[in-house]
């Protein structure tokens, strides 16, 4: 297959902006290009031009499918077990020491494994009832999966290992039941979770939070977009609220970094210290 | 000893891919190059997905240059050695920065060598050297093909010397390989390259 050129990627982001009002122009080019390549392979398109023609039709149903293919939805429960341990042992206790009710935002929640993880951590701490969680994503198809809370059973092996590394003692099996090759999550865990479509590029601020998790989402953005999204997070946090990003992401290059302090560098947890 | 025809002024970066049987090889290379080696070395080695710590430390024991697992959007610098972190694909972005990703496994791997090599080939074009070592699957073959197609230099570890030859053979099957070298040959190549780069730098300054 012919290599995709930058100009073609630009054409694609222009068309998407024009017809569907989504802005991908500040996504990281290397991964965006691979996503486009992958879409060409899935649909067996002979060239990028076929995709460009399809997108030019302005068919919103087609675009919805495209959107869910262009986004990377890979996720795990208890991804980076040491991160969740740090939340349980230090971050959440500190937050609860100063608040009776706590609000948490999962930005880019994908199929919801991260949300279930949070709910399980809170439940085992006896704090689930005191928390309001909002989980958002740009991709409504994956949000629907998050709402359903039904996962391939084969993923649970890895999730269970992560849970054990985290130091979980109750047993992850307690939180789902098996049906065929599926794991059906215990919905009572997410009773106080609101799932909502939200685009970090254009969506802006919609609430105030004590803790925001945005892990492995901004790696798909270029630095300029990372900067502007961080401004949204800064504004969405209460003073002394926490921001957690992916273990291989960093704030140090961002303009707004000076309004945060590093709480845990290994686990990439930051605290807002200036308005 | 093999004579290398190197146009040293041409190159900007080196990518090394390795899998089963490559640890000792990498260790030997890293203990043989000088601590002031000029070009950035970007390594993508198959590793346990869920073990974040330990690998870089093990490699650092012998390495003359401290190895780092880069952050997303970190600038790629001369004189550094980088290693793809666990459970992330390591790509190179135009503008000489790293780009990490949690995309699906490629060739059953994350990090996948194909991704590091292909993105590096796209970003560095003919200014890249791709080196593929011992390994038990075919990851890296397409990447090496991309390196060659963009005009970069391709080197594989001599399959006869590899603990497991599947990986270099897979690359050799689908693309032109410029040099087939044993570990010692790879080291001589890198030392010669570095010597020439240093010589050019002093004459031109
Ligand atoms: C790799 S998943 C991360 C899931 C989870 N946070 C984790 O770390 O495992 C990235 C998610 O970000 C979402 N995403 C990408 N661009 C977005 C945007 N502009 N606004 C909101 N979500 C976005 C994708 O749809 C995807 O579900």
């Amino acid at each position: 297959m012919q290599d995709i050129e930058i100009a073609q990627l630009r054409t694609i982001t222009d068309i998407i902006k024009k017809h569907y009002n989504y802005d991908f122009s500040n996504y990281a080019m290397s991964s965006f290009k691979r996503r486009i390549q992958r879409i060409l392979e899935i649909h067996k398109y002979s060239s990028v031009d076929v995709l460009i023609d399809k997108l030019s039709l302005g068919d919103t149903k087609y675009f919805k499918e495209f959107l869910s293919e262009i986004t990377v939805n890979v996720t795990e429960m208890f991804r980076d077990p040491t991160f969740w341990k740090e939340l349980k042992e230090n971050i959440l206790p500190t937050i609860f020491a100063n608040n009776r009710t706590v609000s948490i935002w999962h930005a880019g929640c994908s199929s919801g494994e991260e949300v279930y993880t949070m709910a399980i951590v809170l439940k085992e701490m006896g704090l689930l009832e005191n928390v309001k969680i909002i989980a958002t994503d740009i991709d409504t198809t994956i949000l629907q999966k998050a709402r359903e809370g039904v996962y391939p059973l084969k993923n649970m092996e890895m999730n269970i290992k992560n849970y054990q590394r985290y130091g979980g003692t109750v047993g992850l099996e307690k939180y789902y039941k098996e049906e065929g090759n599926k794991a059906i999550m215990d919905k009572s865990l997410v009773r106080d979770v609101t799932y909502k479509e939200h685009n970090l590029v254009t969506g802006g601020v919609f609430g105030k939070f004590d803790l925001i998790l945005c892990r492995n989402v901004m790696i798909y953005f270029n630095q300029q977009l990372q900067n502007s999204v961080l401004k949204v997070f800064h504004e969405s946090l209460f003073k002394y609220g926490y921001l957690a990003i992916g273990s291989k992401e960093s704030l140090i290059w961002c303009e707004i970094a000076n309004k945060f302090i590093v709480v845990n560098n290994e686990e990439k947890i930051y605290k807002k210290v200036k308005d | 000893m093999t004579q290398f025809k190197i146009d040293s002024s041409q190159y900007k970066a080196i990518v090394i891919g390795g899998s089963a049987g490559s640890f000792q090889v990498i260790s030997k290379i890293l203990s043989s190059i000088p601590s002031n080696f000029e070009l950035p070395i970007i390594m993508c080695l198959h590793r346990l997905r869920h073990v974040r710590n330990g690998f870089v430390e093990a490699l650092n024991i012998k390495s003359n240059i401290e190895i780092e697992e880069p952050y997303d959007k970190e600038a790629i610098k001369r004189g550094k050695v980088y290693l793809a972190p666990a459970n992330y694909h390591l790509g190179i972005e135009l503008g000489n920065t790293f780009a990490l990703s949690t995309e699906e496994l490629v060739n059953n791997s994350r990090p996948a060598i194909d991704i590091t090599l292909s993105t590096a080939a796209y970003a560095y074009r003919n200014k890249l050297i791709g080196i593929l070592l011992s390994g038990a699957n075919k990851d890296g073959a397409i990447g090496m093909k991309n390196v060659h197609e963009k005009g970069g230099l391709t080197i594989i570890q001599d399959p006869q010397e590899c603990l497991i030859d599947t990986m270099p053979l897979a690359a050799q099957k689908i693309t032109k390989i410029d040099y087939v070298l044993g570990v010692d040959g790879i080291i001589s190549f890198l030392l010669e390259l570095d010597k020439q780069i240093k010589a050019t730098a002093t004459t031109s300054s």
Side-chain angles (χ1 to χ4, degrees), chain A residues 8 101 114 224:
Chain A
Q8 294 172 306
T101 55
E114 191 184 79
Q224 188 189 330

Side-chain angles (χ1 to χ4, degrees), chain A residues 106-211:
Chain A
H106 290 267
C109 66
S110 189
S111 40
E113 281 88 335
E114 191 184 79
V115 180
Y116 273 103
T117 305
M118 181 66 86
I120 290 168
V121 170
L122 290 164
K123 172 129 187 162
E124 294 186 359
M125 294 173 78
L127 293 170
L128 186 56
E129 310 299 317
N130 306 46
V131 178
K132 271 238 153 303
I133 294 178
I134 299 201
T136 63
D137 205 284
I138 190 178
D139 172 8
T140 53
T141 315
I142 206 75
L143 265 180
Q144 192 48 39
K145 291 227 167 86
R147 282 193 193 96
E148 284 160 14
V150 175
Y151 303 117
L153 195 58
K154 64 172 168 36
N155 290 4
M156 292 320 265
E157 196 185 324
M158 165 185 72
N159 293 336
I160 287 170
K161 277 207 188 112
N162 283 348
Y163 174 81
Q164 286 163 349
R165 287 198 187 99
Y166 150 79
T169 47
V170 177
L172 194 64
E173 298 87 344
K174 205 187 128 197
Y175 302 108
Y176 64 90
K177 60 175 197 290
E178 292 184 20
E179 244 180 63
N181 53 7
K182 301 219 149 61
I184 299 172
M185 298 305 294
D186 175 357
K187 292 287 162 354
S188 73
L189 287 166
V190 292
R191 209 173 314 157
D192 287 318
V193 176
T194 308
Y195 296 95
K196 170 173 128 89
E197 180 184 355
H198 178 269
N199 181 352
L200 287 165
V201 182
T202 49
V205 180
F206 61 88
K208 280 272 188 191
F209 300 91
D210 300 292
L211 170 61

Side-chain angles (χ1 to χ4, degrees), chain A residues 84-99 102 121-122 125 127 211 242:
Chain A
W84 295 100
K85 206 169 168 167
E86 172 67 13
L87 268 195
K88 178 175 90 174
E89 288 173 359
N90 295 310
I91 308 299
L92 289 169
T94 313
I95 297 176
F96 276 97
N98 300 304
N99 302 277
V102 166
V121 170
L122 290 164
M125 294 173 78
L127 293 170
L211 170 61
Y242 293 87

